[in-house]
Amino acid sequence: MKDKLISALAEALEMDSSQIKIEDNFRDYDSYSSLTELSLLAMLDSDFGIEIEMKEFNNYKTVMDLVKLVESR
Amino acid sequence: MGLLSFHNVGISGLAGAVPRHIINNYDYDLYFKKENIREIIEKIGVKERRFADMNTCSSDLCYAAAERLLDDMKINREEIDLLLFISQTPDYRMPATSVILQERLKLPSSTITLDINLGCSAFLYGLTVAYSMVTSGGIRKALILDGETRSKVYSLKDRKTGFLFGDGGVAALIEKGENFRESWFSLNSDGSRASLINIPAGGYRKMSSCETVKEKVVDEYGNIRSDEQGYMNGADVFNFVIREVPKDFNKLLEYSGTNVNLIDYFIFHQANKYINSFLAKKLKLPEDKVPSTIEKFGNTSSVSIPLTIISELANKLSLHKRLLLSGFGVGLTWGTAIIEVDGCYVGEIVEV
């Protein structure tokens, strides 16, 4: 699940998987913007079936937080 | 429940109008770099849109569309018993714009006039009001005029909204007829999300003042707007739409007992290319059944559904067709409709 999330995250943020570290704050990536945020939300919905409120999404800071999210559902 | 059904009432004619002035988004580089603009266009899919000039209001676009429709269809104006005007860019704070249009269109003083102040879902709300009043018996013909000049609402210095919106107006004639058969609607609202798309000042909660018209840098990206210009939280809206719109879509299919394969066309509010493609993919809809005008007209709020029908399906509505309409946005409000059209007159789009 972790590898699947990282690869989907890389695609959403238009990065290479190797640039993503589990402890990174994903909002700090250069390519993170209001536009790529939509891709990330779309990815969680279509690849992992996760529909979340923004209030909850805003609590997730690191790549690890996202891994935990997809593993918990 | 917010679920409605109607029998033997429908749209017998449609016409549209857009401003003559075309904005090419790629060249719209007054405040942003061309490479950033290209990135935005790639995502939102808006290449061109139409901007009304200073002297043109939503009502002027609707007026032009209505004149075309009534003349082309040779409608006796004495038979228009109801005029609905849908817009969030009316002529004045008072009186209602529908009353002004009644006089301009030379409709009788016995015509009922009413404004509906809703956004992207409003055409569906307007249809249910018109269908209900026509069904009640006393209304021979109803005219829905739906217009927006979104170009006057949003800051051109805010990249979140500066490249997305355009202007347009439509006229739709509603009347009884056995050929319209059945129609179904689901309408919803969630006021807890009112702040996701709004204009904070200029109404009566926070009245217009020197302070409210001042431009300010509003975020870390350097976007600039005043409190009297539109704000949109795109991510929150997106997240809401991809969750709620498919739910409502399926709820209405179930309520109506309609098989999704029996729908000829799915017309979504033209929010932006990204949202619309996502919805079509999530709902597994074939591309050729989902017409789009986002590329040439942008997001025209409540006008986008009928304008897309007029622009893309003009030659396809002379025979019986079943359409699914889906509108969602400011409020937030959202809705889904299944309507039947048969021999619907569609006028050419007028340039104003």
Side-chain angles (χ1 to χ4, degrees):
Chain A
M1 206 55 128
K2 180 182 148 197
D3 291 344
K4 186 183 169 193
L5 184 273
I6 289 182
S7 127
L9 181 63
E11 196 185 331
L13 299 183
E14 296 156 16
M15 297 167 64
D16 195 280
S17 299
S18 62
Q19 296 171 287
I20 293 179
K21 303 281 174 292
I22 198 86
E23 66 277 10
D24 290 348
N25 283 312
F26 57 87
R27 288 186 186 79
D28 292 341
Y29 292 134
D30 284 347
S31 61
Y32 198 90
S33 70
S34 59
L35 291 175
T36 49
E37 185 173 57
L38 299 187
S39 304
L40 174 49
L41 294 166
M43 173 275 278
L44 290 172
D45 183 298
S46 54
D47 295 5
F48 297 94
I50 291 174
E51 298 177 341
I52 51 169
E53 289 283 346
M54 286 306 281
K55 263 187 219 147
E56 188 190 340
F57 177 72
N58 291 336
N59 292 329
Y60 301 122
K61 308 288 181 207
T62 65
V63 177
M64 191 63 205
D65 292 340
L66 295 179
V67 172
K68 281 184 190 157
L69 167 69
V70 299
E71 282 178 346
S72 70
R73 304 280 173 113
Chain B
M1 253 314 238
L3 289 163
L4 300 152
S5 66
F6 298 94
H7 185 61
N8 290 351
V9 54
I11 306 173
S12 59
L14 281 166
V18 294
R20 183 167 292 136
H21 183 45
I22 299 176
I23 300 289
N24 180 330
N25 263 351
Y26 289 105
D27 299 334
Y28 207 56
D29 56 354
L30 271 67
Y31 304 108
F32 297 97
K33 287 187 196 139
K34 273 197 187 290
E35 59 176 280
N36 294 343
I37 295 173
R38 265 197 303 276
E39 249 177 83
I40 295 171
I41 295 174
E42 201 176 302
K43 200 91 172 181
I44 64 174
V46 182
K47 293 181 178 166
E48 286 180 5
R49 53 223 168 107
R50 303 298 182 106
F51 272 20
D53 64 26
M54 256 180 70
N55 301 315
T56 305
C57 281
S58 307
S59 61
D60 299 314
L61 301 173
C62 289
Y63 172 76
E67 281 291 327
R68 164 57 63 98
L69 185 69
L70 298 177
D71 283 352
D72 283 2
M73 291 181 75
K74 299 186 173 54
I75 298 297
N76 175 0
R77 297 185 188 214
E78 295 292 318
E79 290 184 7
I80 309 279
D81 294 318
L82 170 68
L83 188 165
L84 292 178
F85 177 66
I86 299 171
S87 186
Q88 295 195 319
T89 44
D91 287 18
Y92 304 104
R93 292 195 199 177
M94 64 183 236
T97 308
S98 52
V99 191
I100 296 167
L101 283 163
Q102 172 265 329
E103 190 277 333
R104 280 183 78 186
L105 288 165
K106 307 286 176 242
L107 305 184
S109 59
S110 55
T111 302
I112 300 167
T113 57
L114 183 66
D115 279 25
I116 295 181
N117 172 16
L118 287 170
C120 312
S121 63
F123 188 67
L124 277 66
Y125 278 80
L127 285 179
T128 60
V129 173
Y131 281 20
S132 301
M133 290 178 91
V134 168
T135 302
S136 77
I139 309 285
R140 287 165 292 178
K141 288 183 170 62
L143 191 59
I144 298 179
L145 303 182
D146 182 350
E148 274 298 340
T149 48
R150 293 279 96 196
S151 66
K152 302 187 185 198
V153 171
Y154 290 96
S155 165
L156 303 176
K157 302 173 189 170
D158 182 350
R159 69 199 285 265
K160 288 184 173 178
T161 49
F163 295 91
L164 189 57
F165 293 94
D167 303 340
V170 299
L173 191 71
I174 312 301
E175 55 191 318
K176 283 182 206 160
E178 286 182 5
N179 52 338
F180 296 120
R181 302 180 218 175
E182 310 298 325
S183 56
W184 297 271
F185 292 83
S186 169
L187 301 175
N188 312 271
S189 34
D190 181 359
S192 74
R193 296 172 203 269
S195 63
L196 295 188
I197 309 174
N198 73 349
I199 302 172
Y204 294 95
R205 181 68 63 191
K206 188 174 181 189
M207 287 181 74
S208 195
S209 69
C210 296
E211 196 50 40
T212 61
V213 294
K214 242 183 231 162
E215 289 189 333
K216 293 177 282 197
V217 176
V218 289
D219 57 26
E220 69 272 27
Y221 305 108
N223 289 313
I224 294 170
R225 65 172 183 274
S226 78
D227 284 347
E228 292 201 33
Q229 290 177 312
Y231 159 78
M232 182 168 67
N233 182 330
D236 278 40
V237 173
F238 176 78
N239 213 25
F240 182 80
V241 165
I242 62 173
R243 206 171 55 231
E244 294 303 328
V245 168
K247 259 189 228 166
D248 199 51
F249 180 102
N250 289 321
K251 184 170 91 178
L252 191 69
L253 283 178
E254 191 182 333
Y255 172 65
S256 65
T258 310
N259 183 320
V260 70
N261 297 321
L262 297 177
I263 306 283
D264 295 297
Y265 295 102
F266 302 86
I267 302 102
F268 288 86
H269 160 53
Q270 304 288 293
N272 66 53
K273 188 178 87 176
Y274 195 71
I275 290 190
N276 285 61
S277 311
F278 189 88
L279 286 174
K281 205 169 106 192
K282 186 164 176 172
L283 292 164
K284 300 187 173 62
L285 306 177
E287 242 174 68
D288 60 340
K289 285 189 168 187
V290 188
S292 167
T293 50
I294 192 78
E295 206 170 280
K296 58 182 173 189
F297 295 132
N299 179 334
T300 54
S301 187
S302 56
V303 184
S304 77
I305 291 174
L307 187 62
T308 299
I309 297 174
I310 295 165
S311 169
E312 304 304 305
L313 302 178
N315 304 321
K316 300 185 170 109
L317 302 186
S318 52
L319 298 174
H320 175 264
K321 291 282 181 299
R322 192 176 279 116
L323 310 180
L324 186 144
L325 317 179
S326 168
F328 45 87
V330 60
L332 300 181
T333 68
W334 66 106
T336 314
I338 296 170
I339 60 170
E340 307 203 18
V341 289
D342 187 8
C344 181
Y345 173 81
V346 181
E348 261 178 50
I349 295 177
V350 185
E351 290 195 329
V352 177

